[in-house]
Amino acid sequence: EELAAKVKVPAIVEQDLKRIISDRLEQCGLYYRCFSRIKTASSMAHKFALKDYGAENKKLQDLVGVRINLYFDDDVEICQNIVENTFDVIGWSTSERSEEEFKPTKLNGVCRLPEYLRSEISTETYIDDTFEIQIKTMFFEGWHEIEHDMRYKGEELWKNYKGFSRYFNSILATLELCDKSMVTLFEDLGHSLYKSGRWSDMIKSHFRLKLGEGQLYP
């Protein structure tokens, strides 16, 4: 209740961040979905209890969060570049993948709020003037929550059942392969369209872009 009284985040902050990002991605023709949220007071209290905010000027950086789900794996780097050219990015982090392990991967960034939105937030000492942005693919988003709750947080479920854990890994590997296969499919289609001289269709397929109805000049 104390945090809820101190930390005020008007809806315009979340709405404007989502609008700015969506406008940029629309201009680039990427296939995506964008979601946003404001951290609740109970969620903030839980995080404050787990981490020592205030020590060495450490502050909560994800009061406002934006998630971008992309349909194609190789659009992640492009989306990261768009974010870096739109906001003041403090830093990026990503989950590590090894050759023997399959698990959800996502790109997490911390950015400064635009100047006009910083003044909209009424915060207390241990909250920074930043927002968090997550970038991941649709396939990964589809099973990330299940993996997070049922394996990462539910480690005891798998303790004496390594066979099931191995089976789960094989499913994750299949989903990762689907990410890569989708890109390969449209690139191969683009090559066939190129050989047929269908330039607009080739560009749309190869780069997987949302294009208008008009055709390119021959």
Side-chain angles (χ1 to χ4, degrees):
E1 291 177 355
E2 185 180 347
L3 274 173
K6 283 184 177 180
V7 183
K8 303 294 184 181
V9 185
I12 189 175
V13 175
E14 178 187 3
Q15 293 167 358
D16 267 27
L17 283 177
K18 186 176 177 181
R19 176 188 57 77
I20 292 168
I21 292 169
S22 296
D23 285 350
R24 297 292 187 275
L25 298 179
E26 287 289 340
Q27 290 167 1
C28 295
L30 296 185
Y31 285 92
Y32 75 97
R33 289 290 181 270
C34 188
F35 307 89
S36 59
R37 64 103 181 102
I38 297 172
K39 191 177 283 292
T40 63
S42 59
S43 181
M44 281 188 279
H46 178 68
K47 200 160 187 178
F48 283 142
L50 290 177
K51 299 186 178 182
D52 187 18
Y53 288 103
E56 298 180 358
N57 294 321
K58 187 175 183 181
K59 295 183 178 182
L60 182 74
Q61 295 184 308
D62 62 344
L63 176 61
V64 181
V66 178
R67 185 174 79 250
I68 303 171
N69 292 344
L70 300 167
Y71 284 84
F72 300 103
D73 183 63
D74 59 348
D75 282 344
V76 172
E77 185 177 351
I78 295 171
C79 187
Q80 179 182 2
N81 185 264
I82 293 169
V83 171
E84 289 175 348
N85 282 280
T86 306
F87 300 103
D88 177 13
V89 178
I90 296 173
W92 295 98
S93 63
T94 186
S95 50
E96 295 293 331
R97 277 191 291 186
S98 68
E99 294 178 4
E100 295 80 23
E101 184 180 22
F102 294 92
K103 61 181 180 180
T105 58
K106 60 185 177 185
L107 185 62
N108 276 18
V110 176
C111 309
R112 293 283 180 204
L113 284 165
E115 188 70 38
Y116 78 99
L117 291 179
R118 293 181 203 174
S119 58
E120 295 287 337
I121 298 179
S122 171
T123 66
E124 60 104 20
T125 310
Y126 303 137
I127 296 178
D128 208 353
D129 59 349
T130 57
F131 70 97
E132 181 186 60
I133 188 163
Q134 291 184 354
I135 304 174
K136 47 191 166 183
T137 64
M138 284 290 191
F139 281 123
F140 279 42
E141 170 65 13
W143 49 265
H144 167 68
E145 185 176 354
I146 297 299
E147 199 275 348
H148 183 73
D149 286 352
M150 300 292 284
R151 184 150 74 163
Y152 178 71
K153 286 187 174 180
E155 190 175 350
E156 71 282 353
L157 293 176
W158 314 85
K159 191 172 182 181
N160 299 314
Y161 302 98
K162 292 184 178 179
F164 288 104
S165 185
R166 180 179 175 83
Y167 187 19
F168 191 74
N169 276 337
S170 69
I171 296 172
L172 303 188
T174 301
L175 291 171
E176 185 173 320
L177 181 62
C178 287
D179 256 2
K180 306 293 184 185
S181 297
M182 276 294 189
V183 173
T184 302
L185 167 67
F186 283 103
E187 285 184 342
D188 289 347
L189 174 60
H191 187 242
S192 295
L193 292 166
Y194 161 74
K195 290 191 291 185
S196 300
R198 295 170 58 184
W199 316 121
S200 292
D201 293 336
M202 177 270 289
I203 289 175
K204 181 174 184 177
S205 179
H206 181 77
F207 294 106
R208 301 172 304 283
L209 295 172
K210 293 180 184 177
L211 298 180
E213 296 299 323
Q215 294 291 306
L216 288 179
Y217 186 71

